[in-house]
Amino acid sequence: EKSFARGAMRECFRLKKISQQPRQGMHALSWKTSNNYVAKKYLGQTSGGKEEAMNDCRLQMTAGLIAEAFSRLNPPKRVVIIHCCVLEFFQREPPSFFLCERYIDGTDSFGNDFVKHNSNGGFIDDQEKRLTPQLFSAASFYLNHGRVLVCDVQGVADLYTDPCIHSARQTFGESDLGRRGMALFFQSYPTPPLFTIMGK
């Protein structure tokens, strides 16, 4: 049980999913052929991290719905927020809760692996100069009439994970900086006319 990455709030563990016995005619499930996942454990939580994991899962799935709405507009490149779930180790005392998702592997068409495109505090990646991640963040604001903005966009190509959401009522946890966070994004990224960029 050794983590491969650690941040201020969570540490990450590799996980394999072997969820069912193979049926007749299917290849045998093995460690090598099983899907790779990431299990994120919350640090310093006496409750086992249940509330934090559930809240982060709700946030990520909400961002996923916004990404689907953005992609329905037929932008030059569609985006996907990876699905997640909460995993409970109920045999531990106290029970432990992890936020789990598929491990994102590979590189984009430029040869980059995992890239952080923007943050919840106004950072914009000006080295890669990719338009799609910033356009998605801006569009999330306009699609929701200024009530939310998806940021902290990061991942491989246009498959994203671990976003933050700024909301007018600050309902998405500690990383939700509300309208101030929205203003920080637009201060760093003065958005060109969205429909001009998207060819509409």
Side-chain angles (χ1 to χ4, degrees):
E1 195 177 292
K2 185 177 179 182
S3 62
F4 71 89
R6 186 182 178 104
M9 298 171 59
R10 299 182 298 197
E11 56 183 335
C12 299
F13 298 86
R14 296 188 190 279
L15 182 76
K16 289 277 194 176
K17 182 183 178 188
I18 305 177
S19 58
Q20 62 187 20
Q21 292 295 321
R23 291 180 296 219
Q24 189 174 6
M26 292 178 63
H27 69 281
L29 294 176
S30 69
W31 184 263
K32 187 175 181 180
T33 60
S34 298
N35 293 326
N36 292 311
Y37 281 75
V38 176
K40 302 173 183 179
K41 181 181 179 183
Y42 293 81
L43 301 171
Q45 300 299 325
T46 55
S47 64
K50 180 178 182 178
E51 183 178 347
E52 293 79 9
M54 296 298 282
N55 287 341
D56 281 355
C57 189
R58 177 178 67 96
L59 184 159
Q60 190 155 323
M61 298 305 281
T62 301
L65 292 174
I66 295 170
E68 289 175 12
F70 171 75
S71 293
R72 282 195 297 271
L73 295 173
N74 292 318
K77 293 187 178 178
R78 297 178 178 217
V79 303
V80 174
I81 305 272
I82 198 165
H83 288 200
C84 63
C85 64
V86 175
L87 181 64
E88 177 185 5
F89 286 85
F90 60 88
Q91 294 176 324
R92 294 183 178 182
E93 191 56 47
S96 298
F97 295 83
F98 293 74
L99 183 71
C100 293
E101 62 187 38
R102 288 287 296 268
Y103 178 72
I104 303 176
D105 198 7
T107 58
D108 63 16
S109 58
F110 304 103
N112 299 315
D113 49 16
F114 198 94
V115 176
K116 188 178 188 82
H117 300 287
N118 62 39
S119 75
N120 69 325
F123 162 79
I124 300 288
D125 176 28
D126 57 1
Q127 290 192 333
E128 296 302 321
K129 300 189 186 307
R130 291 228 31 237
L131 184 59
T132 302
Q134 316 313 338
L135 182 60
F136 167 59
S137 288
S140 70
F141 177 84
Y142 294 114
L143 286 169
N144 292 281
H145 309 286
R147 291 190 293 268
V148 299
L149 184 144
V150 179
C151 58
D152 209 12
V153 174
Q154 54 195 309
V156 176
D158 293 307
L159 178 60
Y160 304 144
T161 183
D162 226 5
C164 294
I165 298 180
H166 296 319
S167 64
R169 296 185 179 181
Q170 290 186 269
T171 55
F172 288 99
E174 293 179 19
S175 62
D176 182 349
L177 303 181
R179 296 209 180 274
R180 178 175 171 271
M182 298 177 193
L184 287 170
F185 171 79
F186 285 112
Q187 183 179 24
S188 301
Y189 187 72
T191 313
L194 289 177
F195 291 103
T196 301
I197 293 170
M198 294 171 67
K200 300 285 183 184

